[in-house]
Structures are given as C-alpha cells and as structure tokens.
Amino acid sequence: MERGFKLKQNNTDIRTEVVAGTTTFLTMAYIVVVNPAILSSVGIPFEQVFMATVIAAIVGTLIMGIFANYPIAIAPGMGLNAYFASIVATQGLSYQVIFGTVFLAGILFIILSLTKLRETLIGAIPASLKYGITSGIGLFIAFVGLRNSGIVVANPETIVGLGDLHDPMIVLTLVGLMITLILFVMKIKGALFIGMLSTAIIAYFTGQLTVTGVLSAPPSPVFFDMDIAGVFSNGLYTVVFAFLLVTLFDTTGTMIGVAEQAGFMKDGKMPRAKQALLADATATTVGSAFGTSPSTAYIESSSGVAAGGRTGLTAIVVAILFALSIFFTPIISAIAGLPAITSPVLIIVGCFMMEGLAKVNWKAFDEAFPAFAVILTMPFTSSIATGIAIGFITYPLLKLVSGKGKDVHWILYVFGVIFLIQMTFFPTH
C-alpha cells in the first residue's frame, strides 16, 4: 500500500484516504440518479444507463487512482448528458447514433492525450471562450432542471412561461431546492446528495414517490448498443467535436483546480497529467460502449482533498463505493423517476458553472461578445455544439477586424471557417 500510493510521502494514511474517498463519493453520488434520469427520458433503458454510469465511473476512477495516483474521481459529466438527450429529442436520430459520436470523441480524446496536440488545442483557445462555454452549459442544464420540474413551461405567446406554482411537483421541487441551498450555505458535506435524500423522504410521505424495494441483483449491462456508421451518414462531426472539446476543457480545468488545492502543481505543470487525462478519455470510450454520455473529472473531488485525501487510494475508495451502488437499483430507479428530486441538482450545478464569468474581460468587446454569444446560444438553441460554433466564428472575426488578428492562434481560424461552412451548408438541425 505504501509503495504503491506513497502515503507517507504525501503526508497521509489509510484511514484519512478512506474518509476522503467516502466524502468525495457522497458529494457526487447524485450522478447515479441524475444521469440515468436524464438519458432515460429519451428512450434509453434506465437500467442500461445506470450500469453504464457506474461502469464508466469505476473504470475512470480506478485508472486515475492506480496509474496517476491522484485523489480525483471520474464519472459521466453534467451538461453533456443533457446535451446528449437534447440531440436525440430534437434531431430525430436514434440514441445509438449519438452513442457513436461519444465513442468517436472518446477515441479522439485518447489519441490527443497521448500527443502534444492536447496542450496545443487547450492553449490555442482563449480563456473568454472557455469560460463562455462552461457558463453556457451551466445555463443549459439549469434550464433543463426548470423544464423537467414544470417550473418553466411552453407558452405559445412568449415561447416559455412560468408553470402552475400550485402543482405538487413544482412545490416539491421548490422545497427540495430550498433544503439543498440551505445545506450548501451551512457548508454541509454531501449537500446535493443529502438534499436529494431529504426531498425523496418528503415525496415518500406525500405519496409522490413509490418505492417497491431497496436491494436487488445488479441489472445486466448492455454492450456496444451504438451505430457508428450513422455518425458519418448524418454528418454529425460538429457533435463529435463538441463532446471532445467540452470534455477536454472540463477535465483539464477540474484536474488543475483539484491539483492546485492538493499542492500537486509543480512550476505550473501537473505531474502525470498524461495518465490522468487517459483516465477520463478511457472512461468516456468505455462508458459510450455500455450506454452513457461522456465522462469527466469531478470538481466534487475537492471535498475529498479538503478531508485530507492526497493519493490514488482516495479514488479507489470512490470506485468501490460506486460498485456497491449497483445493488440499490430499485430505490435509485424510483428516485430518478421523480423530476422534483433531480431538478434542484441540475439548477444548483448550473449555478456552479457560471463562476468563470467573473474572469471574462467584459470591457474588451472583442473578448466579451464571443463569450456572450456562446452563453446566449446554448440554452436558446438547446445545443452545446451550436454555441461552440458561434464562439469559434465570432472570436477570430472580431479580433481580425479590430487589428488584433495576430493574437489569435491559427487553429481558431481553421475551426472558424469549418464551423461557418458546416452551419451554412450542413446544419445538423
């Protein structure tokens, strides 16, 4: 144990790592409920997504713990799951085809993680666009939460409007949201998980939640239920790129943030970064093969670091706890089927993702407008890919006409032209 994880060198011990791993798991356990809830809403069998979610989390987190020796957990990411569902719902394509886009994005991510192209791509994209993309996704998934719960409904005159606040589902959602917000303000560890549990208990006693059991044998996983040929026949290259780009940003940003918190960064660089990124890329590829959206490093890992986690042993504890969750399918399925329990999570996580907006230089219009365009486009078009494309088109264009064209990396010009051609002649909608 000492030789493998270097516990003494990292000023930690087995007990501390176990506590840290348990803390991280509790803060992110909501994903085993929320991810299947989102993806099953477009026809993917709940049990398939549930098993795929757990498998992706176990594979990615074990690779992170064993080969990178970091206390960072991996699981299917928020935002990309909602985007996945929106593509299936709006474009008339089967979920098998969209799983093909995720699989291809995962393969590309693995290749990028083995080369220096990853660093080039990350370095080429300006901070304002990165913050805009993350914030746009935040608004996107918060809107999904509002819509699923009925707080926001379709309105023929104003497109959207406020739902009936006397509806029991909306009342329960608002109660659950307030409970979870209070837990966060009080800095209670695992606030999202405890908030969901509290809402579920209220729903049970008000008759809105029916639980037929707690424990059961794990569902059988489904393997390679995808259509890769359909990706090419439908020209879904922008979707593949969107999955790749967002996962790349999300993972890199999260890993650097947690590594800085834990004191792992050396001269601005993260040791064993290649192994860490391979963990996420592999989880995305494996997850799509079993039936879930892309995986990413979880910022909730910082709660485990705060509890003293410093090595991969923390990650292994998280993976073990994910594995145990497969025996609780009946209760997880019941909770995921009630939007009032999962919607507050979507709304609150959406808020977390807006943090980067404070770092955008809003006084420099050629920096501010592309970020604004991305943020505006994603929720209103229900497409992360469209938001990214708009950002990549407007940023180099505004820089070029303002005389700062040399400040823009050539990769942005290439992608700007590609996206302009794609949106003009080969729209995915």
Side-chain angles (χ1 to χ4, degrees), residues 51 56 59 103 112 119 122 129 136 150-151 165 173 204 273 296 313 351 390 398 403:
M51 285 301 290
V59 169
F103 183 78
L112 280 174
E119 283 126 4
I122 291 171
L129 277 186
I151 294 174
L165 295 182
T173 303
Y204 180 77
T296 185
L313 184 56
C351 173
I390 295 295
L398 293 184

Side-chain angles (χ1 to χ4, degrees), residues 229-316:
V231 178
F232 299 101
S233 62
N234 288 286
L236 299 176
Y237 310 111
T238 310
V239 177
V240 174
F241 186 70
F243 280 137
L244 173 65
L245 203 62
V246 176
T247 309
L248 199 63
F249 292 157
D250 204 0
T251 299
T252 306
T254 299
M255 285 183 185
I256 289 172
V258 176
E260 283 179 346
Q261 180 192 1
F264 295 138
M265 298 295 285
K266 293 177 182 177
D267 301 321
K269 293 185 178 180
M270 184 178 175
R272 306 181 301 284
K274 188 175 288 185
Q275 294 93 317
L277 278 157
L278 274 171
D280 179 60
T282 306
T284 292
T285 311
V286 171
S288 66
F290 282 95
T292 188
S293 46
S295 295
T296 185
Y298 262 63
I299 195 63
E300 282 86 350
S301 303
S302 60
S303 64
V305 170
R310 289 296 181 274
T311 74
L313 184 56
T314 293
I316 287 173

Side-chain angles (χ1 to χ4, degrees), residues 320-339:
I320 291 169
L321 292 172
F322 266 113
L324 292 174
S325 71
I326 65 174
F327 297 101
F328 295 88
T329 313
I331 192 165
I332 289 172
S333 175
I335 290 172
L338 193 65

Side-chain angles (χ1 to χ4, degrees), residues 31-43:
I31 196 63
V32 299
V33 177
V34 178
N35 196 51
I38 291 173
L39 296 189
S40 64
S41 68
V42 290

Side-chain angles (χ1 to χ4, degrees), residues 63-368:
I63 293 173
M64 181 69 74
I66 295 168
F67 297 104
N69 197 26
Y70 283 130
I72 300 174
I74 304 285
M78 293 294 293
L80 287 174
N81 48 12
Y83 175 48
F84 183 105
S86 74
I87 299 172
V88 177
T90 60
Q91 296 197 22
L93 297 169
S94 69
Y95 65 79
Q96 287 89 348
V97 172
I98 312 305
F99 278 141
T101 65
V102 179
F103 183 78
L104 291 174
I107 296 294
L108 289 172
F109 195 6
I110 289 174
I111 294 169
L112 280 174
S113 298
L114 294 170
T115 67
K116 288 190 176 179
L117 279 171
R118 174 184 56 82
E119 283 126 4
T120 305
L121 186 59
I122 291 171
I125 297 168
S128 59
L129 277 186
K130 291 175 185 173
Y131 296 135
I133 289 168
T134 304
S135 301
I137 294 170
L139 278 181
F140 178 66
I141 64 171
F143 181 74
V144 169
L146 292 170
R147 187 184 63 203
N148 287 353
S149 62
I151 294 174
V152 168
V153 294
N155 185 308
E157 294 176 358
T158 58
I159 302 176
V160 293
L162 186 66
D164 179 8
L165 295 182
H166 294 97
D167 186 307
M169 181 73 74
I170 295 179
V171 173
L172 182 61
T173 303
L174 295 174
V175 169
L177 181 62
M178 290 310 300
I179 289 171
T180 313
L181 289 173
I182 290 167
L183 291 170
F184 262 109
V185 171
M186 293 174 67
K187 295 182 168 44
I188 304 295
K189 287 177 182 175
L192 281 178
F193 182 74
I194 297 169
M196 283 178 62
L197 199 60
S198 303
T199 311
I201 292 169
I202 295 169
Y204 180 77
F205 285 108
T206 57
Q208 291 170 269
L209 177 66
T210 303
V211 179
T212 55
V214 177
L215 290 168
S216 72
S220 298
V222 178
F223 184 65
F224 223 73
D225 181 23
M226 66 172 69
D227 178 7
I228 295 176
V231 178
F232 299 101
S233 62
N234 288 286
L236 299 176
Y237 310 111
T238 310
V239 177
V240 174
F241 186 70
F243 280 137
L244 173 65
L245 203 62
V246 176
T247 309
L248 199 63
F249 292 157
D250 204 0
T251 299
T252 306
T254 299
M255 285 183 185
I256 289 172
V258 176
E260 283 179 346
Q261 180 192 1
F264 295 138
M265 298 295 285
K266 293 177 182 177
D267 301 321
K269 293 185 178 180
M270 184 178 175
R272 306 181 301 284
K274 188 175 288 185
Q275 294 93 317
L277 278 157
L278 274 171
D280 179 60
T282 306
T284 292
T285 311
V286 171
S288 66
F290 282 95
T292 188
S293 46
S295 295
T296 185
Y298 262 63
I299 195 63
E300 282 86 350
S301 303
S302 60
S303 64
V305 170
R310 289 296 181 274
T311 74
L313 184 56
T314 293
I316 287 173
V317 171
V318 175
I320 291 169
L321 292 172
F322 266 113
L324 292 174
S325 71
I326 65 174
F327 297 101
F328 295 88
T329 313
I331 192 165
I332 289 172
S333 175
I335 290 172
L338 193 65
I341 299 175
T342 54
S343 292
V345 174
L346 297 174
I347 296 165
I348 292 170
V349 171
C351 173
F352 292 158
M353 297 178 77
M354 305 298 288
E355 183 183 355
L357 287 182
K359 299 174 185 176
V360 175
N361 183 2
W362 293 103
K363 293 183 179 178
F365 190 74
D366 53 2
E367 291 282 335

